[in-house]
mmCIF file of all heavy atoms in Angstrom:
data_model
loop_
_atom_site.group_PDB
_atom_site.id
_atom_site.type_symbol
_atom_site.label_atom_id
_atom_site.label_comp_id
_atom_site.label_asym_id
_atom_site.label_seq_id
_atom_site.Cartn_x
_atom_site.Cartn_y
_atom_site.Cartn_z
ATOM 1 N N MET B 87 -19.351 -19.313 -117.630
ATOM 2 C CA MET B 87 -19.098 -19.938 -118.929
ATOM 3 C C MET B 87 -17.629 -20.173 -119.197
ATOM 4 O O MET B 87 -16.773 -19.510 -118.666
ATOM 5 C CB MET B 87 -19.666 -19.056 -120.033
ATOM 6 C CG MET B 87 -21.164 -19.205 -120.142
ATOM 7 S SD MET B 87 -21.758 -18.116 -121.390
ATOM 8 C CE MET B 87 -20.940 -18.815 -122.780
ATOM 9 N N LYS B 88 -17.389 -21.094 -120.093
ATOM 10 C CA LYS B 88 -16.013 -21.404 -120.489
ATOM 11 C C LYS B 88 -15.579 -20.460 -121.606
ATOM 12 O O LYS B 88 -16.403 -19.915 -122.333
ATOM 13 C CB LYS B 88 -15.954 -22.852 -120.982
ATOM 14 C CG LYS B 88 -16.251 -23.843 -119.891
ATOM 15 C CD LYS B 88 -15.090 -23.903 -118.919
ATOM 16 C CE LYS B 88 -15.370 -24.841 -117.800
ATOM 17 N NZ LYS B 88 -16.246 -24.287 -116.780
ATOM 18 N N PRO B 89 -14.292 -20.328 -121.809
ATOM 19 C CA PRO B 89 -13.794 -19.362 -122.781
ATOM 20 C C PRO B 89 -14.166 -19.665 -124.230
ATOM 21 O O PRO B 89 -14.006 -18.822 -125.075
ATOM 22 C CB PRO B 89 -12.278 -19.450 -122.626
ATOM 23 C CG PRO B 89 -12.056 -20.081 -121.339
ATOM 24 C CD PRO B 89 -13.215 -20.950 -121.080
ATOM 25 N N LYS B 90 -14.652 -20.839 -124.493
ATOM 26 C CA LYS B 90 -15.016 -21.144 -125.873
ATOM 27 C C LYS B 90 -16.022 -20.114 -126.402
ATOM 28 O O LYS B 90 -16.038 -19.803 -127.576
ATOM 29 C CB LYS B 90 -15.587 -22.550 -125.983
ATOM 30 C CG LYS B 90 -16.825 -22.790 -125.132
ATOM 31 C CD LYS B 90 -17.209 -24.249 -125.107
ATOM 32 C CE LYS B 90 -18.370 -24.475 -124.142
ATOM 33 N NZ LYS B 90 -18.669 -25.895 -123.975
ATOM 34 N N VAL B 91 -16.847 -19.610 -125.543
ATOM 35 C CA VAL B 91 -17.835 -18.624 -125.973
ATOM 36 C C VAL B 91 -17.146 -17.364 -126.477
ATOM 37 O O VAL B 91 -17.483 -16.824 -127.511
ATOM 38 C CB VAL B 91 -18.767 -18.262 -124.798
ATOM 39 C CG1 VAL B 91 -19.779 -17.218 -125.221
ATOM 40 C CG2 VAL B 91 -19.460 -19.519 -124.319
ATOM 41 N N GLU B 92 -16.132 -16.971 -125.765
ATOM 42 C CA GLU B 92 -15.407 -15.776 -126.174
ATOM 43 C C GLU B 92 -14.688 -15.993 -127.485
ATOM 44 O O GLU B 92 -14.682 -15.155 -128.359
ATOM 45 C CB GLU B 92 -14.376 -15.412 -125.105
ATOM 46 C CG GLU B 92 -15.024 -15.107 -123.780
ATOM 47 C CD GLU B 92 -14.060 -15.252 -122.641
ATOM 48 O OE1 GLU B 92 -12.922 -15.671 -122.886
ATOM 49 O OE2 GLU B 92 -14.459 -14.961 -121.530
ATOM 50 N N LYS B 93 -14.096 -17.143 -127.608
ATOM 51 C CA LYS B 93 -13.326 -17.446 -128.813
ATOM 52 C C LYS B 93 -14.226 -17.531 -130.040
ATOM 53 O O LYS B 93 -13.783 -17.358 -131.161
ATOM 54 C CB LYS B 93 -12.605 -18.789 -128.635
ATOM 55 C CG LYS B 93 -11.517 -18.725 -127.607
ATOM 56 C CD LYS B 93 -10.228 -18.361 -128.260
ATOM 57 C CE LYS B 93 -9.192 -18.053 -127.196
ATOM 58 N NZ LYS B 93 -7.970 -17.564 -127.804
ATOM 59 N N SER B 94 -15.482 -17.837 -129.802
ATOM 60 C CA SER B 94 -16.362 -18.118 -130.919
ATOM 61 C C SER B 94 -16.694 -16.884 -131.743
ATOM 62 O O SER B 94 -17.141 -16.995 -132.860
ATOM 63 C CB SER B 94 -17.656 -18.725 -130.394
ATOM 64 O OG SER B 94 -18.351 -17.715 -129.702
ATOM 65 N N ASN B 95 -16.500 -15.726 -131.203
ATOM 66 C CA ASN B 95 -16.900 -14.538 -131.946
ATOM 67 C C ASN B 95 -15.879 -14.205 -133.025
ATOM 68 O O ASN B 95 -14.900 -13.513 -132.811
ATOM 69 C CB ASN B 95 -17.047 -13.364 -130.963
ATOM 70 C CG ASN B 95 -17.799 -12.235 -131.588
ATOM 71 O OD1 ASN B 95 -17.898 -12.186 -132.818
ATOM 72 N ND2 ASN B 95 -18.317 -11.357 -130.778
ATOM 73 N N GLU B 96 -16.156 -14.728 -134.223
ATOM 74 C CA GLU B 96 -15.192 -14.606 -135.324
ATOM 75 C C GLU B 96 -15.079 -13.183 -135.845
ATOM 76 O O GLU B 96 -14.099 -12.806 -136.429
ATOM 77 C CB GLU B 96 -15.592 -15.531 -136.465
ATOM 78 C CG GLU B 96 -15.467 -17.007 -136.140
ATOM 79 C CD GLU B 96 -14.020 -17.444 -135.991
ATOM 80 O OE1 GLU B 96 -13.136 -16.763 -136.545
ATOM 81 O OE2 GLU B 96 -13.761 -18.431 -135.303
ATOM 82 N N LYS B 97 -16.117 -12.389 -135.643
ATOM 83 C CA LYS B 97 -16.143 -11.041 -136.199
ATOM 84 C C LYS B 97 -14.984 -10.180 -135.709
ATOM 85 O O LYS B 97 -14.481 -9.338 -136.422
ATOM 86 C CB LYS B 97 -17.457 -10.351 -135.829
ATOM 87 C CG LYS B 97 -18.621 -10.843 -136.648
ATOM 88 C CD LYS B 97 -19.882 -10.156 -136.205
ATOM 89 C CE LYS B 97 -21.078 -10.787 -136.862
ATOM 90 N NZ LYS B 97 -22.333 -10.253 -136.359
ATOM 91 N N VAL B 98 -14.624 -10.389 -134.504
ATOM 92 C CA VAL B 98 -13.584 -9.514 -133.954
ATOM 93 C C VAL B 98 -12.177 -10.010 -134.251
ATOM 94 O O VAL B 98 -11.209 -9.426 -133.841
ATOM 95 C CB VAL B 98 -13.738 -9.328 -132.432
ATOM 96 C CG1 VAL B 98 -15.036 -8.650 -132.122
ATOM 97 C CG2 VAL B 98 -13.611 -10.666 -131.726
ATOM 98 N N LYS B 99 -12.077 -11.119 -134.938
ATOM 99 C CA LYS B 99 -10.740 -11.647 -135.219
ATOM 100 C C LYS B 99 -10.371 -11.389 -136.674
ATOM 101 O O LYS B 99 -11.022 -11.888 -137.582
ATOM 102 C CB LYS B 99 -10.726 -13.156 -134.986
ATOM 103 C CG LYS B 99 -10.729 -13.539 -133.542
ATOM 104 C CD LYS B 99 -10.591 -15.029 -133.453
ATOM 105 C CE LYS B 99 -10.650 -15.480 -132.024
ATOM 106 N NZ LYS B 99 -10.584 -16.933 -131.937
ATOM 107 N N ASP B 100 -9.348 -10.664 -136.890
ATOM 108 C CA ASP B 100 -8.821 -10.601 -138.237
ATOM 109 C C ASP B 100 -7.507 -11.398 -138.239
ATOM 110 O O ASP B 100 -7.111 -11.983 -137.242
ATOM 111 C CB ASP B 100 -8.606 -9.146 -138.687
ATOM 112 C CG ASP B 100 -7.676 -8.423 -137.770
ATOM 113 O OD1 ASP B 100 -6.907 -9.095 -137.037
ATOM 114 O OD2 ASP B 100 -7.717 -7.192 -137.747
ATOM 115 N N ALA B 101 -6.839 -11.427 -139.391
ATOM 116 C CA ALA B 101 -5.658 -12.267 -139.543
ATOM 117 C C ALA B 101 -4.580 -11.930 -138.519
ATOM 118 O O ALA B 101 -4.033 -12.817 -137.876
ATOM 119 C CB ALA B 101 -5.107 -12.116 -140.950
ATOM 120 N N SER B 102 -4.358 -10.656 -138.366
ATOM 121 C CA SER B 102 -3.276 -10.260 -137.454
ATOM 122 C C SER B 102 -3.592 -10.653 -136.019
ATOM 123 O O SER B 102 -2.721 -11.083 -135.274
ATOM 124 C CB SER B 102 -3.045 -8.758 -137.540
ATOM 125 O OG SER B 102 -4.215 -8.100 -137.154
ATOM 126 N N ASP B 103 -4.846 -10.516 -135.676
ATOM 127 C CA ASP B 103 -5.242 -10.916 -134.324
ATOM 128 C C ASP B 103 -4.946 -12.387 -134.093
ATOM 129 O O ASP B 103 -4.470 -12.793 -133.045
ATOM 130 C CB ASP B 103 -6.745 -10.673 -134.108
ATOM 131 C CG ASP B 103 -7.026 -9.199 -133.953
ATOM 132 O OD1 ASP B 103 -6.082 -8.451 -133.617
ATOM 133 O OD2 ASP B 103 -8.159 -8.796 -134.180
ATOM 134 N N LYS B 104 -5.273 -13.155 -135.137
ATOM 135 C CA LYS B 104 -5.126 -14.595 -134.994
ATOM 136 C C LYS B 104 -3.655 -14.962 -134.800
ATOM 137 O O LYS B 104 -3.308 -15.780 -133.955
ATOM 138 C CB LYS B 104 -5.686 -15.289 -136.227
ATOM 139 C CG LYS B 104 -5.988 -16.756 -135.972
ATOM 140 C CD LYS B 104 -7.029 -17.276 -136.924
ATOM 141 C CE LYS B 104 -7.475 -18.667 -136.507
ATOM 142 N NZ LYS B 104 -8.608 -19.103 -137.308
#
Side-chain angles (χ1 to χ4, degrees):
Chain B
M87 282 178 64
K88 295 288 178 282
K90 59 189 175 187
V91 179
E92 299 159 355
K93 292 269 170 186
S94 69
N95 195 341
E96 292 291 337
K97 284 178 189 174
V98 297
K99 285 185 183 177
D100 58 20
S102 61
D103 286 339
K104 199 156 189 172

